[in-house]
Amino acid sequence: MRAGLLTEKVLVLHPTVTTNPVGEQITSYDNVSAIRARDVSFRQQRQLDNGEVWMQGQRTLEVRMYHDICDNDLIEWRDKRYRILSIDTDRQHMCKHLTIEEVNQ
């Protein structure tokens, strides 16, 4: 990976599951790290969910290979939260490709 390509700042949020006194599991997300990334591609297509049409935002981010990112982490980028759909490791270029999708809240 060439120097200077990682121009975006993203936050990695790791889920923490706690149980309240009633026995209900509550998931909270804690900031694990702030890392640099590169926006590689953008795919946008309309999707129909429950009779409502919305634009599905899928993107691919490139990060350095040594970052500890799991499938169940969330990515916060440009004031939006994204879930990780897949993580592909490219050993030749020493990077990870994260396919992410915007969380529909």
Side-chain angles (χ1 to χ4, degrees), residues 29-89:
Y29 290 92
D30 302 323
N31 289 348
V32 174
S33 60
I35 62 174
R36 308 282 292 183
R38 174 183 173 208
D39 185 14
V40 178
S41 66
F42 176 67
R43 292 181 292 282
Q44 190 168 11
Q45 57 201 12
R46 287 187 281 177
Q47 184 172 351
L48 180 65
D49 278 343
N50 298 327
E52 183 177 322
V53 176
W54 62 285
M55 300 302 282
Q56 177 184 8
Q58 274 191 2
R59 293 181 182 258
T60 302
L61 294 179
E62 238 179 44
V63 298
R64 298 261 184 216
M65 193 167 104
Y66 58 81
H67 291 298
D68 186 26
I69 300 175
C70 302
D71 288 336
N72 56 353
D73 291 342
L74 286 182
I75 300 291
E76 190 171 304
W77 175 45
R78 295 182 183 170
D79 297 328
K80 294 182 182 176
R81 286 196 175 185
Y82 295 87
R83 82 173 51 90
I84 299 174
L85 300 177
S86 68
I87 300 174
D88 298 320
T89 303

Side-chain angles (χ1 to χ4, degrees), residues 14-15 18 22 43 51 68 74 102:
H14 187 72
T18 57
V22 180
R43 292 181 292 282
D68 186 26
L74 286 182
E102 186 177 343

